[in-house]
Amino acid sequence: QVQLQQSGPGLVKPSQTLSLTCVISGDSVSDTAGWNWIRLSPSRGLEWLGRTYYRSKWLADYGLSVKGRVSISPDTSKNQFSLHLNSVTPEDTAVYYCARDYRGPYFDFWGQGTVVTVSS
Amino acid sequence: SYVLTQPPSVSVAPGQTATIACGGNNIGTKTVHWYQAKPGQAPVLVVYDDHDRPSGIPERFSGSNSGNTATLTISRVEAGDEADYFCQVWESTGDQRVFGGGTKLTVL
């Protein structure tokens, strides 16, 4: 059974960088799956932020709403992947989830969620 | 970018059938996936590829997709089905995963 365990700070100051990590068990970050970050907020609902995946080399795709501010990258030595979202504003306050896509472009396993508040 | 439209809310009495729509331009040419999100819990995939159910999801959950509307149907609704439901598609242009705005299902 795949399990995703998230970690990272719950409070980030405006203009700073939000960083979260997702540790994978039961699968490998280097496998054929895609490793995603998604957030949920009352005002915006579910919003896909992007993903990283391995196809002979490491690739990444990003959501249009955060493109230019977001980076998602793997750490194969720790079997995990990370999200970095820079120049945050209060609009980035949300519950952040990591999730896997494997058999298709849908998300079958999710992390437990991290509540992130952007506030000074 | 591709837009998915859902009604903000749907209400249904226990034991009845809930129908949640997801509208999009020619959505019938795409495959649609549905998630259930309850407060304080991670979202759960309840239907994938228009109408398939992951292991562990009750047969009461079913999906269909045609024309400009995809539909999630929950039969014999129970109190525990009260949640937000989101549809999702893959938009090939730009390789984007797109969610609908979500529908809050209230069990009366």
Short mmCIF file of all heavy atoms in Angstrom, two decimals, chain A residues 36 38 40 44-48 51 53 61-65 97 101 104-108 110-113, chain B residues 1 31 33 35 37-38 40-45 48-49 86 88-90 94-101:
data_model
loop_
_atom_site.label_atom_id
_atom_site.label_comp_id
_atom_site.label_asym_id
_atom_site.label_seq_id
_atom_site.Cartn_x
_atom_site.Cartn_y
_atom_site.Cartn_z
N ASN A 36 2.60 14.62 -7.41
CA ASN A 36 1.90 15.90 -7.58
C ASN A 36 1.76 16.66 -6.26
O ASN A 36 1.78 16.08 -5.18
CB ASN A 36 0.47 15.62 -8.08
CG ASN A 36 0.42 14.92 -9.42
OD1 ASN A 36 0.23 15.54 -10.45
ND2 ASN A 36 0.59 13.60 -9.40
N ILE A 38 -1.16 19.48 -4.80
CA ILE A 38 -2.51 20.01 -5.01
C ILE A 38 -2.87 20.77 -3.75
O ILE A 38 -2.46 20.39 -2.65
CB ILE A 38 -3.51 18.85 -5.23
CG1 ILE A 38 -3.14 18.08 -6.50
CG2 ILE A 38 -4.95 19.35 -5.31
CD1 ILE A 38 -3.76 16.68 -6.56
N LEU A 40 -6.15 22.94 -1.51
CA LEU A 40 -7.59 23.09 -1.33
C LEU A 40 -7.85 24.31 -0.48
O LEU A 40 -7.31 24.43 0.63
CB LEU A 40 -8.16 21.83 -0.66
CG LEU A 40 -9.64 21.86 -0.29
CD1 LEU A 40 -10.51 22.00 -1.52
CD2 LEU A 40 -10.02 20.60 0.50
N ARG A 44 -10.98 28.82 -3.72
CA ARG A 44 -10.51 28.32 -5.02
C ARG A 44 -10.79 26.83 -5.24
O ARG A 44 -10.50 26.30 -6.31
CB ARG A 44 -9.03 28.60 -5.18
CG ARG A 44 -8.67 30.07 -5.06
CD ARG A 44 -7.18 30.25 -4.79
NE ARG A 44 -6.41 30.09 -6.01
CZ ARG A 44 -5.86 31.11 -6.64
NH1 ARG A 44 -6.02 32.34 -6.20
NH2 ARG A 44 -5.14 30.90 -7.73
N GLY A 45 -11.31 26.13 -4.23
CA GLY A 45 -11.54 24.70 -4.35
C GLY A 45 -10.21 23.95 -4.48
O GLY A 45 -9.20 24.37 -3.93
N LEU A 46 -10.24 22.85 -5.22
CA LEU A 46 -9.02 22.09 -5.48
C LEU A 46 -8.27 22.71 -6.65
O LEU A 46 -8.86 23.06 -7.67
CB LEU A 46 -9.35 20.63 -5.81
CG LEU A 46 -9.69 19.70 -4.65
CD1 LEU A 46 -10.16 18.35 -5.18
CD2 LEU A 46 -8.50 19.52 -3.72
N GLU A 47 -6.97 22.81 -6.49
CA GLU A 47 -6.14 23.46 -7.51
C GLU A 47 -4.86 22.64 -7.68
O GLU A 47 -4.12 22.44 -6.72
CB GLU A 47 -5.82 24.87 -7.05
CG GLU A 47 -5.10 25.74 -8.05
CD GLU A 47 -4.90 27.16 -7.51
OE1 GLU A 47 -5.12 27.38 -6.30
OE2 GLU A 47 -4.52 28.03 -8.28
N TRP A 48 -4.61 22.17 -8.88
CA TRP A 48 -3.41 21.40 -9.18
C TRP A 48 -2.23 22.35 -9.35
O TRP A 48 -2.30 23.29 -10.15
CB TRP A 48 -3.64 20.58 -10.44
CG TRP A 48 -2.47 19.76 -10.87
CD1 TRP A 48 -2.00 18.62 -10.26
CD2 TRP A 48 -1.65 19.97 -12.03
NE1 TRP A 48 -0.92 18.13 -10.97
CE2 TRP A 48 -0.69 18.94 -12.06
CE3 TRP A 48 -1.62 20.94 -13.04
CZ2 TRP A 48 0.28 18.84 -13.05
CZ3 TRP A 48 -0.67 20.84 -14.03
CH2 TRP A 48 0.28 19.80 -14.03
N ARG A 51 3.56 18.66 -10.99
CA ARG A 51 4.05 17.33 -10.70
C ARG A 51 5.45 17.14 -11.24
O ARG A 51 5.89 17.88 -12.14
CB ARG A 51 3.14 16.27 -11.31
CG ARG A 51 3.17 16.24 -12.84
CD ARG A 51 2.37 15.07 -13.36
NE ARG A 51 2.55 14.89 -14.80
CZ ARG A 51 2.56 13.70 -15.40
NH1 ARG A 51 2.41 12.59 -14.69
NH2 ARG A 51 2.72 13.61 -16.69
N TYR A 53 8.07 13.80 -12.56
CA TYR A 53 8.03 12.39 -12.97
C TYR A 53 9.30 12.07 -13.74
O TYR A 53 9.97 12.96 -14.28
CB TYR A 53 6.78 12.11 -13.80
CG TYR A 53 6.60 12.99 -15.01
CD1 TYR A 53 6.87 12.53 -16.30
CD2 TYR A 53 6.15 14.31 -14.88
CE1 TYR A 53 6.70 13.34 -17.40
CE2 TYR A 53 5.99 15.13 -15.97
CZ TYR A 53 6.25 14.64 -17.23
OH TYR A 53 6.09 15.47 -18.32
N ASP A 61 5.78 19.40 -14.75
CA ASP A 61 4.74 20.23 -15.33
C ASP A 61 4.13 21.05 -14.21
O ASP A 61 4.03 20.57 -13.08
CB ASP A 61 3.62 19.37 -15.96
CG ASP A 61 4.14 18.43 -17.02
OD1 ASP A 61 4.90 18.89 -17.89
OD2 ASP A 61 3.77 17.25 -16.99
N TYR A 62 3.69 22.26 -14.55
CA TYR A 62 3.16 23.15 -13.51
C TYR A 62 1.81 23.71 -13.89
O TYR A 62 1.52 23.94 -15.07
CB TYR A 62 4.15 24.28 -13.24
CG TYR A 62 5.48 23.79 -12.73
CD1 TYR A 62 6.65 23.98 -13.46
CD2 TYR A 62 5.56 23.10 -11.52
CE1 TYR A 62 7.87 23.51 -12.98
CE2 TYR A 62 6.77 22.62 -11.04
CZ TYR A 62 7.92 22.83 -11.78
OH TYR A 62 9.12 22.36 -11.31
N GLY A 63 0.99 23.95 -12.86
CA GLY A 63 -0.30 24.57 -13.08
C GLY A 63 -0.17 26.01 -13.54
O GLY A 63 0.72 26.73 -13.08
N LEU A 64 -1.08 26.42 -14.40
CA LEU A 64 -0.99 27.76 -14.99
C LEU A 64 -1.12 28.85 -13.92
O LEU A 64 -0.51 29.91 -14.04
CB LEU A 64 -2.07 27.93 -16.05
CG LEU A 64 -1.95 27.01 -17.27
CD1 LEU A 64 -3.12 27.24 -18.22
CD2 LEU A 64 -0.62 27.22 -17.98
N SER A 65 -1.88 28.57 -12.86
CA SER A 65 -2.13 29.60 -11.85
C SER A 65 -0.89 29.92 -11.02
O SER A 65 -0.81 30.99 -10.42
CB SER A 65 -3.25 29.16 -10.91
OG SER A 65 -2.86 28.01 -10.19
N TYR A 97 -1.69 19.29 -0.37
CA TYR A 97 -1.61 17.83 -0.42
C TYR A 97 -0.59 17.38 -1.45
O TYR A 97 -0.51 17.98 -2.54
CB TYR A 97 -2.96 17.23 -0.82
CG TYR A 97 -4.09 17.44 0.15
CD1 TYR A 97 -5.00 18.48 -0.02
CD2 TYR A 97 -4.26 16.58 1.24
CE1 TYR A 97 -6.05 18.67 0.86
CE2 TYR A 97 -5.32 16.76 2.13
CZ TYR A 97 -6.20 17.80 1.93
OH TYR A 97 -7.24 17.99 2.80
N ASP A 101 -0.19 10.12 -9.21
CA ASP A 101 -0.97 9.66 -10.35
C ASP A 101 -0.17 8.53 -11.01
O ASP A 101 1.04 8.63 -11.16
CB ASP A 101 -1.31 10.79 -11.34
CG ASP A 101 -0.13 11.33 -12.10
OD1 ASP A 101 0.39 10.62 -13.00
OD2 ASP A 101 0.28 12.45 -11.80
N GLY A 104 -3.30 6.68 -14.71
CA GLY A 104 -3.90 7.70 -15.57
C GLY A 104 -3.74 9.05 -14.91
O GLY A 104 -3.19 9.15 -13.82
N PRO A 105 -4.25 10.12 -15.55
CA PRO A 105 -4.09 11.47 -15.00
C PRO A 105 -5.08 11.77 -13.89
O PRO A 105 -5.80 12.76 -13.93
CB PRO A 105 -4.32 12.36 -16.22
CG PRO A 105 -5.27 11.58 -17.06
CD PRO A 105 -4.91 10.14 -16.88
N TYR A 106 -5.16 10.86 -12.90
CA TYR A 106 -6.00 11.07 -11.74
C TYR A 106 -5.20 10.64 -10.52
O TYR A 106 -4.18 9.96 -10.64
CB TYR A 106 -7.31 10.29 -11.85
CG TYR A 106 -7.15 8.81 -12.14
CD1 TYR A 106 -6.94 7.90 -11.12
CD2 TYR A 106 -7.21 8.33 -13.45
CE1 TYR A 106 -6.78 6.55 -11.38
CE2 TYR A 106 -7.05 6.98 -13.73
CZ TYR A 106 -6.84 6.10 -12.69
OH TYR A 106 -6.68 4.76 -12.97
N PHE A 107 -5.67 11.02 -9.33
CA PHE A 107 -4.87 10.92 -8.12
C PHE A 107 -5.42 9.83 -7.21
O PHE A 107 -6.50 9.97 -6.66
CB PHE A 107 -4.86 12.29 -7.43
CG PHE A 107 -4.53 13.40 -8.40
CD1 PHE A 107 -5.51 14.25 -8.86
CD2 PHE A 107 -3.24 13.55 -8.87
CE1 PHE A 107 -5.22 15.25 -9.78
CE2 PHE A 107 -2.94 14.55 -9.79
CZ PHE A 107 -3.93 15.39 -10.24
N ASP A 108 -4.64 8.74 -7.08
CA ASP A 108 -5.16 7.59 -6.35
C ASP A 108 -4.71 7.53 -4.90
O ASP A 108 -5.39 6.95 -4.06
CB ASP A 108 -4.83 6.29 -7.09
CG ASP A 108 -3.34 6.11 -7.37
OD1 ASP A 108 -2.54 7.02 -7.03
OD2 ASP A 108 -2.98 5.07 -7.96
N TRP A 110 -3.12 9.99 -1.61
CA TRP A 110 -2.91 11.36 -1.16
C TRP A 110 -2.19 11.36 0.18
O TRP A 110 -2.34 10.45 0.99
CB TRP A 110 -4.27 12.05 -0.97
CG TRP A 110 -5.08 12.22 -2.22
CD1 TRP A 110 -5.65 11.24 -3.00
CD2 TRP A 110 -5.46 13.47 -2.82
NE1 TRP A 110 -6.34 11.80 -4.04
CE2 TRP A 110 -6.24 13.16 -3.97
CE3 TRP A 110 -5.22 14.81 -2.51
CZ2 TRP A 110 -6.78 14.17 -4.79
CZ3 TRP A 110 -5.75 15.81 -3.34
CH2 TRP A 110 -6.52 15.47 -4.46
N GLY A 111 -1.44 12.44 0.40
CA GLY A 111 -0.88 12.67 1.72
C GLY A 111 -1.96 13.16 2.68
O GLY A 111 -3.11 13.37 2.28
N GLN A 112 -1.57 13.36 3.91
CA GLN A 112 -2.54 13.70 4.95
C GLN A 112 -2.95 15.17 4.92
O GLN A 112 -3.93 15.55 5.56
CB GLN A 112 -1.98 13.35 6.36
CG GLN A 112 -1.02 14.37 6.94
CD GLN A 112 0.41 14.20 6.47
OE1 GLN A 112 0.70 13.59 5.43
NE2 GLN A 112 1.35 14.73 7.26
N GLY A 113 -2.23 15.98 4.19
CA GLY A 113 -2.54 17.41 4.10
C GLY A 113 -1.75 18.23 5.11
O GLY A 113 -1.51 17.77 6.24
N SER B 1 -7.69 28.30 -20.91
CA SER B 1 -7.61 26.98 -20.29
C SER B 1 -9.02 26.39 -20.16
O SER B 1 -10.01 27.11 -20.20
CB SER B 1 -6.96 27.08 -18.92
OG SER B 1 -7.68 27.91 -18.07
N THR B 31 -11.91 12.07 -20.43
CA THR B 31 -12.26 11.17 -19.34
C THR B 31 -12.30 11.98 -18.04
O THR B 31 -11.44 12.83 -17.81
CB THR B 31 -11.27 10.00 -19.19
OG1 THR B 31 -9.94 10.51 -19.14
CG2 THR B 31 -11.39 9.03 -20.35
N HIS B 33 -12.86 12.29 -13.77
CA HIS B 33 -12.59 11.63 -12.49
C HIS B 33 -13.26 12.44 -11.39
O HIS B 33 -13.39 13.66 -11.50
CB HIS B 33 -11.08 11.53 -12.25
CG HIS B 33 -10.31 11.22 -13.50
ND1 HIS B 33 -10.38 10.00 -14.13
CD2 HIS B 33 -9.50 12.00 -14.27
CE1 HIS B 33 -9.63 10.03 -15.22
NE2 HIS B 33 -9.09 11.23 -15.33
N TYR B 35 -13.78 13.16 -7.04
CA TYR B 35 -13.20 13.05 -5.70
C TYR B 35 -14.22 13.50 -4.67
O TYR B 35 -15.00 14.43 -4.91
CB TYR B 35 -11.95 13.93 -5.57
CG TYR B 35 -10.89 13.58 -6.58
CD1 TYR B 35 -10.91 14.16 -7.83
CD2 TYR B 35 -9.90 12.65 -6.30
CE1 TYR B 35 -9.97 13.83 -8.79
CE2 TYR B 35 -8.95 12.31 -7.24
CZ TYR B 35 -9.00 12.90 -8.49
OH TYR B 35 -8.06 12.56 -9.43
N ALA B 37 -14.36 15.04 -0.84
CA ALA B 37 -13.50 15.73 0.14
C ALA B 37 -14.32 16.06 1.38
O ALA B 37 -15.32 16.79 1.29
CB ALA B 37 -12.90 16.99 -0.47
N LYS B 38 -13.90 15.52 2.51
CA LYS B 38 -14.54 15.81 3.79
C LYS B 38 -13.60 16.67 4.64
O LYS B 38 -12.37 16.55 4.51
CB LYS B 38 -14.87 14.52 4.54
CG LYS B 38 -15.89 13.64 3.84
CD LYS B 38 -16.20 12.39 4.65
CE LYS B 38 -17.25 11.54 3.95
NZ LYS B 38 -17.57 10.31 4.73
N GLY B 40 -11.04 18.10 7.08
CA GLY B 40 -10.00 17.48 7.87
C GLY B 40 -9.46 16.17 7.32
O GLY B 40 -8.62 15.53 7.96
N GLN B 41 -9.93 15.76 6.15
CA GLN B 41 -9.46 14.51 5.56
C GLN B 41 -8.94 14.76 4.15
O GLN B 41 -9.37 15.70 3.48
CB GLN B 41 -10.60 13.48 5.48
CG GLN B 41 -11.19 13.11 6.83
CD GLN B 41 -12.31 12.08 6.69
OE1 GLN B 41 -12.36 11.32 5.71
NE2 GLN B 41 -13.20 12.05 7.65
N ALA B 42 -8.03 13.91 3.69
CA ALA B 42 -7.57 14.02 2.32
C ALA B 42 -8.69 13.63 1.36
O ALA B 42 -9.51 12.76 1.68
CB ALA B 42 -6.37 13.11 2.10
N PRO B 43 -8.76 14.25 0.19
CA PRO B 43 -9.75 13.84 -0.81
C PRO B 43 -9.58 12.36 -1.16
O PRO B 43 -8.49 11.80 -1.07
CB PRO B 43 -9.43 14.73 -2.00
CG PRO B 43 -8.82 15.95 -1.40
CD PRO B 43 -8.01 15.44 -0.24
N VAL B 44 -10.69 11.76 -1.57
CA VAL B 44 -10.71 10.34 -1.95
C VAL B 44 -11.25 10.23 -3.37
O VAL B 44 -12.28 10.81 -3.70
CB VAL B 44 -11.61 9.53 -0.99
CG1 VAL B 44 -11.76 8.09 -1.48
CG2 VAL B 44 -11.04 9.57 0.43
N LEU B 45 -10.54 9.45 -4.19
CA LEU B 45 -11.00 9.17 -5.55
C LEU B 45 -12.20 8.23 -5.47
O LEU B 45 -12.07 7.13 -4.91
CB LEU B 45 -9.87 8.53 -6.35
CG LEU B 45 -10.14 8.12 -7.79
CD1 LEU B 45 -10.31 9.35 -8.68
CD2 LEU B 45 -9.01 7.24 -8.32
N TYR B 48 -13.17 6.98 -11.46
CA TYR B 48 -12.15 7.37 -12.42
C TYR B 48 -12.54 6.88 -13.81
O TYR B 48 -13.37 5.97 -13.95
CB TYR B 48 -10.76 6.86 -12.00
CG TYR B 48 -10.61 5.35 -12.03
CD1 TYR B 48 -10.05 4.72 -13.13
CD2 TYR B 48 -11.01 4.58 -10.94
CE1 TYR B 48 -9.91 3.35 -13.16
CE2 TYR B 48 -10.87 3.21 -10.95
CZ TYR B 48 -10.32 2.59 -12.07
OH TYR B 48 -10.18 1.22 -12.10
N ASP B 49 -11.94 7.50 -14.81
CA ASP B 49 -12.22 7.13 -16.22
C ASP B 49 -13.73 7.09 -16.49
O ASP B 49 -14.25 6.10 -17.04
CB ASP B 49 -11.57 5.79 -16.56
CG ASP B 49 -10.06 5.88 -16.63
OD1 ASP B 49 -9.53 7.02 -16.60
OD2 ASP B 49 -9.40 4.83 -16.71
N PHE B 86 -15.67 16.93 -6.28
CA PHE B 86 -14.97 17.66 -7.33
C PHE B 86 -14.80 16.76 -8.55
O PHE B 86 -14.37 15.60 -8.42
CB PHE B 86 -13.58 18.10 -6.87
CG PHE B 86 -13.58 19.11 -5.76
CD1 PHE B 86 -13.63 18.70 -4.43
CD2 PHE B 86 -13.52 20.47 -6.02
CE1 PHE B 86 -13.63 19.61 -3.39
CE2 PHE B 86 -13.51 21.40 -4.99
CZ PHE B 86 -13.58 20.97 -3.68
N GLN B 88 -12.73 16.24 -12.28
CA GLN B 88 -11.36 16.57 -12.74
C GLN B 88 -11.13 15.92 -14.10
O GLN B 88 -11.58 14.81 -14.36
CB GLN B 88 -10.33 16.06 -11.75
CG GLN B 88 -8.88 16.31 -12.13
CD GLN B 88 -8.09 15.05 -12.39
OE1 GLN B 88 -8.19 14.07 -11.65
NE2 GLN B 88 -7.28 15.04 -13.45
N VAL B 89 -10.43 16.63 -14.98
CA VAL B 89 -10.04 16.09 -16.28
C VAL B 89 -8.58 16.42 -16.53
O VAL B 89 -7.97 17.24 -15.84
CB VAL B 89 -10.89 16.66 -17.43
CG1 VAL B 89 -12.36 16.36 -17.24
CG2 VAL B 89 -10.66 18.17 -17.61
N TRP B 90 -8.03 15.75 -17.54
CA TRP B 90 -6.71 16.09 -18.04
C TRP B 90 -6.89 16.91 -19.31
O TRP B 90 -7.59 16.50 -20.23
CB TRP B 90 -5.91 14.83 -18.34
CG TRP B 90 -4.62 15.08 -19.03
CD1 TRP B 90 -3.58 15.85 -18.58
CD2 TRP B 90 -4.21 14.59 -20.30
NE1 TRP B 90 -2.56 15.85 -19.48
CE2 TRP B 90 -2.90 15.09 -20.55
CE3 TRP B 90 -4.80 13.76 -21.26
CZ2 TRP B 90 -2.19 14.79 -21.72
CZ3 TRP B 90 -4.09 13.46 -22.42
CH2 TRP B 90 -2.81 13.98 -22.63
N GLY B 94 -1.12 21.87 -22.89
CA GLY B 94 -0.38 22.32 -21.71
C GLY B 94 -0.24 21.27 -20.64
O GLY B 94 0.34 21.53 -19.58
N ASP B 95 -0.78 20.04 -20.90
CA ASP B 95 -0.65 18.94 -19.95
C ASP B 95 -1.08 19.37 -18.55
O ASP B 95 -0.35 19.22 -17.57
CB ASP B 95 0.79 18.43 -19.93
CG ASP B 95 0.92 17.04 -19.34
OD1 ASP B 95 -0.13 16.40 -19.09
OD2 ASP B 95 2.05 16.60 -19.10
N GLN B 96 -2.31 19.88 -18.45
CA GLN B 96 -2.84 20.39 -17.19
C GLN B 96 -3.86 19.43 -16.59
O GLN B 96 -4.64 18.79 -17.29
CB GLN B 96 -3.51 21.74 -17.42
CG GLN B 96 -2.56 22.82 -17.90
CD GLN B 96 -1.64 23.32 -16.79
OE1 GLN B 96 -2.13 23.82 -15.78
NE2 GLN B 96 -0.34 23.18 -16.98
N ARG B 97 -3.86 19.33 -15.27
CA ARG B 97 -4.94 18.65 -14.56
C ARG B 97 -5.88 19.73 -14.05
O ARG B 97 -5.46 20.62 -13.31
CB ARG B 97 -4.39 17.85 -13.37
CG ARG B 97 -3.84 16.49 -13.75
CD ARG B 97 -2.44 16.59 -14.31
NE ARG B 97 -1.86 15.26 -14.53
CZ ARG B 97 -1.11 14.94 -15.57
NH1 ARG B 97 -0.81 15.83 -16.49
NH2 ARG B 97 -0.62 13.71 -15.68
N VAL B 98 -7.14 19.67 -14.43
CA VAL B 98 -8.11 20.73 -14.15
C VAL B 98 -9.22 20.18 -13.27
O VAL B 98 -9.79 19.12 -13.55
CB VAL B 98 -8.70 21.27 -15.46
CG1 VAL B 98 -9.74 22.36 -15.16
CG2 VAL B 98 -7.60 21.82 -16.37
N PHE B 99 -9.55 20.95 -12.22
CA PHE B 99 -10.66 20.58 -11.33
C PHE B 99 -11.85 21.51 -11.55
O PHE B 99 -11.69 22.69 -11.88
CB PHE B 99 -10.23 20.73 -9.86
CG PHE B 99 -9.26 19.69 -9.39
CD1 PHE B 99 -7.90 19.95 -9.35
CD2 PHE B 99 -9.71 18.44 -8.96
CE1 PHE B 99 -7.00 18.99 -8.90
CE2 PHE B 99 -8.83 17.49 -8.51
CZ PHE B 99 -7.46 17.76 -8.48
N GLY B 100 -13.04 20.95 -11.31
CA GLY B 100 -14.22 21.78 -11.22
C GLY B 100 -14.21 22.52 -9.89
O GLY B 100 -13.41 22.24 -9.01
N GLY B 101 -15.14 23.46 -9.74
CA GLY B 101 -15.17 24.28 -8.54
C GLY B 101 -15.69 23.59 -7.30
O GLY B 101 -15.56 24.12 -6.20
#
